[in-house]
Amino acid sequence: MRRLGIVLRQIAARGRPNRIKSCRTPENRGWLRTPMGGGGSGMHFYLWWAPSDSERVAPLVPSDNEVFLRTIRHHDNHDPLDCGQRHDYILLSLQELQTEHIDGVDCAPWTPEQRAFIDAGEVTRIVLGRPGSGKTASLWRAVERHPARHLLYLTWSRELAWQAHLNFSALAPGRTVRCWHFSRLLRAITQQDEPRLTLTESRRRFREALQLLSARQLGPWKQRLTALHAELRAFLIGRARPGHASTVFHRPVFHLRQEAYAGLRRDDRHPDAIEKAWHVFELLCRNEQLAEIFPELAAASQAIRILRAGRLPTILETIEGIVVDEVQDLTLLELSVVVELWHMLARRRSTPPLLLLAGDEGQTVRPSGFRWGPYKEWLSERIAPPRDYELGESLRCPANIARTFERAARYYSKLPREERPARQRRDTRAAPGGHLIYVAAENQQQATSLIQKLCDEESLVVVSLEDEVPEHIWSPALIKGLERQTVVVLNPGAVLERLDRFVAEEHFAFDREDYRTEVDRLRVALSRSSETLVFLDVAPTAAQRACSLRLLGDDVVEVPPHELLDNLEQAELSLLERIQARLEEFSVRIDDDPVQALRLALRARDLQLRIRSLGEHIPANIAREVPRAILLSIARLLTDDRVLPEVETPDLLQQAREAASELGPEHLRAFDELVRWHQSGRVFPAALLKAACRLTGEAEWLRQALSAIAYSLHAALERSARRPESAGVFLEDVAAWLRFLDYAGNLEEAVRQLRGLAFDALLAAGDLATAQQMLERIQPPDLLRKGRLLEAKNELEEAIEAYLQAGAYTEAERVRQRLYHFRNDTLRRFRHLADQCSALEQIPVLTSMLSGAQQRLATRYIQLHFEARKDASVQNTLYAFLSYLQAVHQHTDQLEDPELMMLGALEELTRRRHRACAAAAQLLFEHYGTRSMARRLLASPAGELPECSEPAVFCLAASTLETLRNCPPYQNLLAFIDHGKPTRRAAES
């Protein structure tokens, strides 16, 4: 029943188990079979099952995503099997899956060792185990059982992260488990694009950077540049421990001090080799090439500095624990990112966050210098001594395949004991069965033909251990963490011979890290097979052949190349199952090789067209997954700024447009915007992001492509916001754009910053109406920018008030000075126009250059002043000004700044004799009261108080301040009444 529990969890998460065989007989076609163990081969019993789109279960009228488990049979039983009735089936609930009791039967798939780790209570613990021992499954179950609501799950690749996401979505709903690959974490912390560089490309850049160095400069590393690359990556930089005395930061990475590095490698390296390695490191630092060669280490260093400075991305603030799978592929420097993040989270919580790690010293696929000893020591120093839980039983591979990768562990014996992966050569229990096959192709042509046929089989993979991997073939890094029914290892004899040659060479000490990585990669490839392991040597020498056969052992069967396919008991997959297999491989390859991923998507499209031509039904999820894959691969090529390859179709863009049309018109618009953005120089992404936000549920094809360059797009948005011609677009839903990009920074602050830049551009261009709209969208309100807008609109009193609220006192003082001159200038213009007026008909001509509000005021002022001059009965020369004040009040609802005009009129009144002050005071108090005038007078600096020969004007002003007796301006005005002059000090302004 334990095997059934494993299969049920796989079906719940992915809709299908990992191992599938089809039924060959016509009467049972449509049923799928999965081995359940038993017997000497481990495959005596099979679970018979069918997905909802199978013809076998059509009478049950299934809904989408249903899976029907019919029976378990002996492998020889192929009697016709019907689907029965719906009431024959037990509806499996999520609760039963979680409790692992189905219809009263215990189906828990865990070994006692796994259960000990899952149920343990330590905050910091490690699960160890060799390939296929169930480390990842144990981590998943520990996460499901932990009470924390928000966890961060980190792993090796996007595909493994996606599988973890599917598992938690199905088996831990309602929980927030962020399943990220490690580069995604670095992107979130540094707020920079993901460092995407394969190991092969990194080595190529390293060789190019050193190609001009002489033998004297490289010393013993001259012919060992790959080993030197590993030395720098794994030890000089990789063993850095930020915060430790041995480590220093020198742009762009943390690294060991020279004496610390020499001490670390003293027993393994000649002093000349240590000196030359340090010289190369310094050279790459001076030439600023380290970040180009090791971008992931540079990003890790930057992330550590950000975390140590106390800056934590908003998206991580609620995390209650961290889970790290495949930790052996992280250098100690990269693990320090996790350590610093843990500390940041611990400072924000009353209880320590959870920290779970899983790894195996014997499964590194890139130079990391991984040894459990230094890693545990660092964890003990910075967090707490971790508790180890070791898994011994092989749960994936049958016994003879497990013995093969255990024999491969003998190659570690050539290394010093302290450099060997621990616990790699111990006999463990494993399911019986499995097949070992050896094939020797006579020449490259025969091998190429055979490999092509093998690559067309969806249930097997061909793995190459070489640095340069041909297309259609997998590398150990790609297949890491996955399993396949059949694994074909290409040219293992050559690799094994090279390992023997390493040991025999005089300077083996220089190649030990390379040697160990080669053995690890070999064991990763061997351990992926769940049923059949094939060694395929191309024109092998006698020594290479002997190496391969020795590793496979006595259970091996040698098969001629032309008979290999006949000897592989592969599942006879339907066209739909072949599409699914291609899509699964696509999801593994899309990050490292988008060109090859595109080829896989196009092959899936060809299979889809074949199904349509046969008139057969295609499930809706498959019908939409194929166009999504095509769009994602092309989108990745465009966002990486690559030239589209010439593959199976002459017009990729047209194929992509057809795929987008199948998903819907909004997808076609988004794809067209993507192409336009790329062809226009990748300058202005707003139109692309607007189209992206209109996508329906299948938006992941564009989100995945754009999220990797989220911060480059954010920088492009900033540049766009600074240009007046594009600034107006930031009135749109900018937050939705950034959410689509999976932006991990402070979303509200980013939106506020972009709209602020757009406002500045619009204001500088004089587009005040759009600037006003932009200002209204900025939240929380930006008082400083509000003051600038009011100033641009000549609403100077309000601008001063906004500046004061924003704390911009210098700006407020500057506008006060401007306001004083504005008032006087306005009144001078009115008086000048009035003096020029000789007939009322001239008024429209005189006021035509003024604004609308000023025209109304000037017209009324000139008219009254003109009448006062002509009418001899009007002796009071202040009549026009008092009428002017009445006009101001009458037009209050139409004026831009009526109180500003009132103050201007008050200043004019102060130039007259005090017999007019009583009338002016009566008018002011009737229409405006005291508080409004008091607020305006308080805003006036000392130098702007109107001058006059009569203190009565200041009596009038003081009376408006009567309710504010304790304010200094009130006291100063009273002093002026007594002494005849203002007494304000400059500091009081």
Side-chain angles (χ1 to χ4, degrees):
M1 296 306 290
R2 197 174 85 185
R3 176 64 185 167
L4 178 61
I6 294 174
V7 170
L8 288 174
R9 290 176 63 83
Q10 292 171 352
I11 292 176
R14 299 174 54 223
R16 56 185 305 198
N18 293 343
R19 303 169 66 179
I20 300 174
K21 294 175 182 272
S22 60
C23 291
R24 299 181 178 181
T25 57
E27 57 270 20
N28 284 326
R29 194 177 303 278
W31 286 115
L32 299 175
R33 300 178 301 141
T34 295
M36 301 296 291
S41 68
M43 299 182 189
H44 275 207
F45 296 96
Y46 282 81
L47 171 68
W48 287 53
W49 63 279
S52 58
D53 54 25
S54 172
E55 60 183 297
R56 284 291 120 195
V57 294
L60 301 178
V61 193
S63 58
D64 290 342
N65 300 323
E66 283 188 316
V67 178
F68 296 86
L69 279 59
R70 183 66 175 90
T71 186
I72 295 178
R73 286 180 158 188
H74 191 272
H75 72 96
D76 286 334
N77 185 354
H78 289 275
D79 294 340
L81 181 66
D82 62 31
C83 63
Q85 303 295 320
R86 263 198 176 266
H87 59 75
D88 296 331
Y89 294 85
I90 299 170
L91 180 61
L92 184 59
S93 67
L94 176 61
Q95 182 180 2
E96 287 175 306
L97 270 176
Q98 291 172 330
T99 59
E100 297 168 337
H101 281 74
I102 299 169
D103 201 27
V105 178
D106 183 7
C107 295
W110 316 110
T111 66
E113 296 165 320
Q114 288 177 301
R115 194 176 291 280
F117 171 77
I118 293 167
D119 296 337
E122 296 90 356
V123 171
T124 305
R125 58 188 189 268
I126 296 173
V127 58
L128 312 146
R130 290 174 295 168
S133 56
K135 298 183 295 299
T136 297
S138 301
L139 277 185
W140 289 359
R141 185 57 176 168
V143 169
E144 294 167 18
R145 295 286 299 276
H146 196 271
R149 307 299 299 172
H150 300 273
L151 291 170
L152 176 63
Y153 184 95
L154 300 172
T155 188
W156 159 253
S157 68
R158 191 186 301 270
E159 171 61 17
L160 298 181
W162 177 248
Q163 290 193 11
H165 168 75
L166 293 176
N167 178 83
F168 297 133
S169 297
L171 300 175
R175 306 269 299 280
T176 302
V177 184
R178 302 188 185 280
C179 301
W180 289 356
H181 53 294
F182 192 71
S183 293
R184 173 66 182 83
L185 173 65
L186 298 182
R187 169 160 65 92
I189 297 174
T190 63
Q191 297 191 20
Q192 294 181 356
D193 293 342
E194 289 177 16
R196 295 195 299 210
L197 192 70
T198 63
L199 179 61
T200 300
E201 179 65 16
S202 175
R203 287 172 172 169
R204 185 189 65 77
R205 293 184 182 183
F206 184 74
R207 289 192 293 269
E208 289 179 354
L210 304 184
Q211 62 184 348
L212 298 180
L213 297 189
S214 64
R216 182 181 62 81
Q217 291 172 298
L218 290 172
W221 301 106
K222 178 62 178 176
Q223 303 301 324
R224 295 177 171 82
L225 292 185
T226 299
L228 179 57
H229 177 278
E231 182 74 12
L232 266 58
R233 187 186 195 283
F235 294 100
L236 202 160
I237 303 174
R239 279 293 179 89
R241 292 179 287 174
H244 192 270
S246 66
T247 298
V248 66
F249 177 81
H250 181 72
R251 192 166 56 92
V253 295
F254 284 100
H255 61 87
L256 294 179
R257 298 179 185 273
Q258 186 173 8
E259 60 273 17
Y261 168 63
L264 175 67
R265 304 301 279 163
R266 181 175 51 244
D267 297 334
D268 304 318
R269 296 283 183 264
H270 188 276
D272 185 48
I274 294 174
E275 180 184 349
K276 293 300 189 290
W278 183 262
H279 169 73
V280 168
F281 171 76
E282 287 187 317
L283 176 67
L284 295 176
C285 283
R286 285 197 303 271
N287 295 340
E288 299 184 350
Q289 293 174 296
L290 272 179
E292 298 176 3
I293 297 169
F294 304 115
E296 71 285 0
L297 300 184
S301 297
Q302 184 180 355
I304 291 169
R305 286 167 59 82
I306 290 171
L307 292 171
R308 290 173 70 86
R311 302 199 302 272
L312 183 68
T314 306
I315 197 172
L316 296 176
E317 289 179 348
T318 59
I319 296 298
E320 302 171 68
I322 308 172
V323 183
V324 186
D325 197 7
E326 307 287 359
V327 70
Q328 71 274 1
D329 286 304
L330 300 181
T331 62
L332 197 57
L333 173 62
E334 291 170 305
L335 181 65
S336 295
V337 178
V338 177
V339 172
E340 294 296 340
L341 176 59
W342 188 93
H343 272 284
M344 282 285 291
L345 298 172
R347 286 195 288 268
R348 296 164 178 259
R349 294 173 44 80
S350 58
T351 58
L354 179 72
L355 180 61
L356 304 181
L357 300 101
D360 175 17
E361 284 188 357
Q363 290 194 71
T364 60
V365 294
R366 58 180 182 171
S368 62
F370 182 81
R371 311 286 188 274
W372 273 121
Y375 282 56
K376 291 178 183 177
E377 178 185 337
W378 186 229
L379 290 172
S380 300
E381 180 179 333
R382 294 299 312 279
I383 298 178
R387 170 76 180 276
D388 289 357
Y389 292 86
E390 185 176 359
L391 308 181
E393 186 175 348
S394 178
L395 303 178
R396 178 192 303 130
C397 303
N400 54 2
I401 296 178
R403 287 192 293 268
T404 299
F405 65 76
E406 287 172 3
R407 280 192 290 271
R410 296 173 184 170
Y411 285 90
Y412 293 131
S413 63
K414 306 299 182 182
L415 297 169
R417 183 173 297 277
E418 62 274 11
E419 294 186 20
R420 301 175 193 169
R423 305 179 180 93
Q424 299 298 318
R425 294 185 59 195
R426 187 182 70 175
D427 290 336
T428 59
R429 293 176 295 165
H435 306 288
L436 301 174
I437 299 175
Y438 179 75
V439 180
E442 297 177 1
N443 51 54
Q444 186 63 49
Q445 182 179 2
Q446 185 185 47
T448 301
S449 175
L450 178 58
I451 291 171
Q452 183 62 51
K453 294 176 182 177
L454 292 172
C455 289
D456 288 337
E457 294 288 333
E458 283 78 8
S459 57
L460 64 78
V461 293
V462 180
V463 182
S464 172
L465 304 174
E466 300 296 336
D467 194 24
E468 299 287 345
V469 179
E471 62 180 50
H472 310 304
I473 295 179
W474 294 58
S475 67
L478 277 178
I479 201 174
K480 184 182 180 69
L482 308 176
E483 72 174 65
R484 286 295 185 271
Q485 183 175 322
T486 299
V487 173
V488 179
V489 182
L490 183 60
N491 277 328
V495 174
L496 297 172
E497 185 184 40
R498 184 165 67 246
L499 292 175
D500 291 338
R501 189 169 60 250
F502 272 153
V503 176
E505 290 183 355
E506 179 182 357
H507 300 289
F508 176 55
F510 291 97
D511 298 313
R512 288 208 296 256
E513 190 63 26
D514 243 6
Y515 175 91
R516 181 214 161 147
T517 302
E518 288 276 7
V519 179
D520 288 355
R521 285 161 55 88
L522 170 66
R523 298 180 75 241
V524 167
L526 298 178
S527 61
R528 300 304 104 191
S529 171
S530 61
E531 184 173 321
T532 302
L533 177 62
V534 180
F535 278 12
L536 173 58
D537 281 332
V538 181
T541 64
Q544 292 170 350
R545 176 187 176 89
C547 288
S548 292
L549 291 173
R550 184 169 61 248
L551 183 58
L552 288 171
D554 297 335
D555 296 332
V556 65
V557 176
E558 189 166 355
V559 173
H562 63 275
E563 296 181 9
L564 175 60
L565 288 173
D566 294 333
N567 280 269
L568 296 179
E569 187 182 353
Q570 299 301 313
E572 292 183 0
L573 302 179
S574 66
L575 291 176
L576 279 176
E577 291 163 340
R578 292 178 64 189
I579 290 176
Q580 288 177 313
R582 291 300 183 200
L583 292 175
E584 286 182 4
E585 184 178 350
F586 167 88
S587 62
V588 174
R589 289 186 178 272
I590 184 61
D591 276 338
D592 288 332
D593 191 354
V595 174
Q596 178 61 15
L598 174 59
R599 292 189 172 94
L600 290 166
L602 293 175
R603 288 180 190 169
R605 163 70 85 189
D606 292 340
L607 293 171
Q608 187 184 40
L609 294 176
R610 285 177 57 186
I611 295 176
R612 288 178 181 172
S613 67
L614 296 173
E616 297 181 5
H617 171 68
I618 301 177
N621 62 324
I622 299 296
R624 301 183 75 80
E625 190 64 34
V626 173
R628 278 200 299 264
I630 294 173
L631 290 170
L632 170 56
S633 52
I634 295 181
R636 265 297 308 274
L637 292 170
L638 293 175
T639 54
D640 288 353
D641 204 13
R642 300 193 193 184
V643 177
L644 293 181
E646 293 295 333
V647 288
E648 281 77 355
T649 174
D651 192 349
L652 278 178
L653 292 181
Q654 183 57 35
Q655 278 239 0
R657 295 188 86 255
E658 293 173 0
S661 298
E662 292 182 24
L663 297 179
E666 69 279 5
H667 290 267
L668 179 57
R669 283 192 294 270
F671 180 76
D672 287 340
E673 288 294 347
L674 175 64
V675 174
R676 274 193 288 272
W677 169 74
H678 181 263
Q679 293 175 343
S680 64
R682 303 155 63 90
V683 176
F684 182 48
L688 169 61
L689 294 174
K690 286 170 60 178
C693 291
R694 297 190 186 103
L695 296 180
T696 56
E698 290 85 7
E700 194 60 31
W701 68 267
L702 187 54
R703 188 193 308 275
Q704 185 174 333
L706 295 182
S707 63
I709 59 168
Y711 296 97
S712 290
L713 292 173
H714 183 253
L717 287 174
E718 286 187 353
R719 292 191 294 270
S720 303
R722 289 187 170 95
R723 293 199 295 269
E725 62 271 16
S726 55
V729 77
F730 290 89
L731 290 170
E732 303 280 347
D733 190 356
V734 182
W737 303 352
L738 297 181
R739 278 193 295 269
F740 186 88
L741 293 175
D742 199 17
Y743 183 81
N746 187 318
L747 192 65
E748 291 76 13
E749 182 58 32
V751 173
R752 196 170 189 270
Q753 179 190 24
L754 289 170
R755 285 183 170 153
L757 293 173
F759 170 86
D760 295 342
L762 293 166
L763 188 65
D767 187 352
L768 301 186
T770 311
Q772 174 72 46
Q773 297 178 46
M774 192 68 65
L775 186 65
E776 293 169 357
R777 298 291 183 93
I778 296 177
Q779 295 298 329
D782 190 328
L783 295 174
L784 183 60
R785 286 190 167 95
K786 179 181 179 182
R788 292 173 184 166
L789 178 63
L790 291 169
E791 183 181 356
K793 295 168 67 175
N794 281 325
E795 298 178 14
L796 302 185
E797 287 284 352
E798 287 78 2
I800 292 172
E801 189 171 343
Y803 282 138
L804 290 173
Q805 290 176 358
Y809 302 111
T810 302
E811 294 295 303
E813 183 65 24
R814 179 182 57 78
V815 178
R816 280 173 180 158
Q817 296 293 332
R818 181 184 168 192
L819 176 61
Y820 175 72
H821 296 295
F822 174 76
R823 292 169 177 168
N824 290 338
D825 180 66
T826 300
L827 291 173
R828 278 196 302 270
R829 293 176 68 186
F830 284 7
R831 285 197 298 271
H832 177 70
L833 292 173
D835 292 339
Q836 288 181 322
C837 184
S838 60
L840 292 177
E841 291 77 10
Q842 291 180 300
I843 293 178
V845 178
L846 292 172
T847 61
S848 61
M849 299 303 294
L850 301 176
S851 68
Q854 287 178 328
Q855 285 183 20
R856 288 190 294 272
L857 286 174
T859 299
R860 180 63 174 160
Y861 174 87
I862 296 169
Q863 180 182 0
L864 293 172
H865 190 71
F866 180 79
E867 292 174 353
R869 285 197 324 221
K870 298 297 184 182
D871 190 351
S873 65
V874 179
Q875 300 297 323
N876 187 353
T877 58
L878 295 179
Y879 171 78
F881 297 104
L882 295 176
S883 300
Y884 169 63
L885 292 177
Q886 291 175 333
V888 169
H889 177 65
Q890 183 179 355
H891 294 87
T892 294
D893 57 336
Q894 304 174 30
L895 301 180
E896 297 174 357
D897 197 347
E899 293 187 17
L900 174 62
M901 299 304 176
M902 289 289 290
L903 283 176
L906 177 61
E907 291 180 14
E908 183 69 17
L909 284 172
T910 62
R911 293 182 173 85
R912 308 296 171 176
R913 298 191 57 79
H914 83 262
R915 68 174 180 269
C917 290
Q922 180 180 357
L923 181 64
L924 291 172
F925 277 89
E926 284 179 358
H927 293 310
Y928 276 90
T930 60
R931 291 187 180 275
S932 176
M933 291 300 296
R935 187 175 73 250
R936 298 304 180 196
L937 288 171
L938 281 172
S940 299
E944 295 180 18
L945 286 177
E947 297 180 0
C948 70
S949 59
E950 301 290 343
V953 173
F954 288 94
C955 294
L956 168 65
S959 68
T960 66
L961 297 170
E962 191 171 356
T963 58
L964 305 170
R965 291 179 178 275
N966 296 324
C967 67
Y970 173 77
Q971 301 296 330
N972 292 335
L973 288 169
L974 291 180
F976 178 82
I977 296 171
D978 295 334
H979 304 293
K981 61 180 181 179
T983 57
R984 275 191 178 178
R985 295 185 298 273
E988 294 177 2
S989 65

